[in-house]
Amino acid sequence: VEGVAMFADVSGFTVLCAAYGTVNISKLKNTLNQVMGSIVEEILSCGGDIVSFAGDAIFAVFRTHTAEERASILPKVVDVVREQLNYVFRSEKKISTLEEVKNTLKGVPFSKIQEQRLKSLEKESVPILQLREKLRPQLQGLVNKQRLTILEAGESFSTVSSNRRRPRTLFCRLSSNHKTLHYGYDIPVEGNTCPTIDELPDKLNVADIEDVVLWKDQKRQRERGLDSPLGFSIEYSHSTTGPENATKPLYFICQTNEVFQYWTDGLNVLQKKDASNAIAKEHLSMLLEMEIKIRQLDILDIEGLQMPEQAPPVPPMPDNFNFHNHYNFPPSPAVK
């Protein structure tokens, strides 16, 4: 085998042993482990192999590669470096100098790149992809159902009056049978609660909804007061308030982006569409990952164990709560 052999030992080890003495053997051991640990890390990071240890000495070998071997290794090294750089520049840490790049690269060893590769292969394997597609409809249904539950709980919105001169508060909530939206304006409530369905005077049949218009997606300039990025309109036909099939708008301005995504997704679900906003995608992805990990475990089947059908019984209450121990400490010496 062609290569380079390395012999190294700790300089002044004999003096160090004498300084520690026989009383501090454990400290000497810890010091030697720290020194050898650092040397071993450097050797392994440079592609070396540890042959043996001898007290404070270490013997390592760095094997040289032929021209053909070097040619085959180079593309792999380039791929690793590319992945390290991608990891650095995709991080949330702001990097503006070459020194910051170097320092950040130190925190991205090959072991982390290898771990990411294994996770990527796991996600992209054919069985996992097939399982993911099989689970997706069921879990998408859970996300959709949760959106409807949020609509049932109700929410308060800012809105504009018919003459658009003063802001108003709109309360809205979905009926438990998902057929009617109940709403009302400027109803006095305590705190952040939403009035009950019986306290909301107006209602809109879900079947009458024509469209849900997101103001931020409108290319034309909207009127003042109807241009909030967290605003949307429900356009509906309501024959009881005007000519038959006349389209009316109901304006909503959400307090937060989270409420905006939940409610627009919920209204889409009412129209037989899937929840598809960013938060919905995040929740679906999280559910998929959790379910796949549970399916991958299969620990119970491998070990031949069975999941109990009922929870174990709660232990009875103890006879007493004297959980402390009694110690008879010697009396303290008198202070003179």
Side-chain angles (χ1 to χ4, degrees), residues 91-235:
S91 65
E92 297 179 356
K93 183 179 178 181
K94 186 177 180 180
I95 299 174
S96 56
T97 65
L98 182 59
E99 191 64 29
E100 291 177 348
V101 173
K102 293 179 180 179
N103 293 333
T104 309
L105 279 174
K106 292 179 181 179
V108 192
F110 176 69
S111 58
K112 180 172 287 188
I113 298 298
Q114 194 173 28
E115 181 182 350
Q116 289 182 338
R117 286 179 173 180
L118 290 175
K119 289 182 179 179
S120 178
L121 288 174
E122 179 182 298
K123 291 181 179 180
E124 295 175 2
S125 64
V126 174
I128 296 298
L129 293 175
Q130 291 175 344
L131 179 60
R132 189 184 299 274
E133 292 307 311
K134 182 179 179 181
L135 294 173
R136 187 180 297 276
Q138 177 184 359
L139 298 179
Q140 180 69 62
L142 289 177
V143 175
N144 293 347
K145 185 176 180 181
Q146 194 256 355
R147 271 34 182 188
L148 295 180
T149 302
I150 291 176
L151 267 63
E152 290 181 39
E155 187 61 60
S156 63
F157 304 88
S158 298
T159 187
V160 291
S161 59
S162 56
N163 56 17
R164 303 192 180 114
R165 291 181 180 178
R166 66 181 182 88
R168 303 183 67 185
T169 301
L170 168 66
F171 296 96
C172 186
R173 68 192 311 164
L174 179 67
S175 62
S176 58
N177 62 5
H178 303 163
K179 293 184 177 180
T180 308
L181 283 173
H182 296 260
Y183 64 96
Y185 296 91
D186 301 326
I187 300 173
V189 294
E190 295 183 1
N192 295 324
T193 59
C194 183
T196 64
I197 286 180
D198 295 333
E199 295 172 330
L200 297 172
D202 303 313
K203 62 181 180 179
L204 168 63
N205 293 328
V206 172
D208 290 335
I209 296 177
E210 298 287 342
D211 193 14
V212 177
V213 179
L214 308 184
W215 298 352
K216 64 179 183 178
D217 293 342
Q218 295 296 295
K219 296 181 180 180
R220 62 184 178 85
Q221 184 69 27
R222 298 190 66 87
E223 301 177 32
R224 185 177 181 182
L226 302 178
D227 53 359
S228 170
L230 300 181
F232 64 92
S233 307
I234 296 179
E235 296 185 355

Side-chain angles (χ1 to χ4, degrees), residues 218-282:
Q218 295 296 295
K219 296 181 180 180
R220 62 184 178 85
Q221 184 69 27
R222 298 190 66 87
E223 301 177 32
R224 185 177 181 182
L226 302 178
D227 53 359
S228 170
L230 300 181
F232 64 92
S233 307
I234 296 179
E235 296 185 355
Y236 63 96
S237 59
H238 206 323
S239 58
T240 59
T241 59
E244 189 173 357
N245 297 327
T247 300
K248 304 280 184 181
L250 195 60
Y251 303 119
F252 297 77
I253 302 176
C254 303
Q255 305 298 327
T256 64
N257 181 56
E258 187 177 54
V259 172
F260 175 82
Q261 294 197 41
Y262 282 147
W263 270 76
T264 53
D265 265 341
L267 293 170
N268 283 331
V269 172
L270 289 175
Q271 294 182 295
K272 309 303 181 184
K273 303 175 184 177
D274 285 331
S276 58
N277 274 323
I279 297 179
K281 292 179 180 178
E282 180 182 348

Side-chain angles (χ1 to χ4, degrees), residues 310-316:
Q310 297 180 350
V314 178

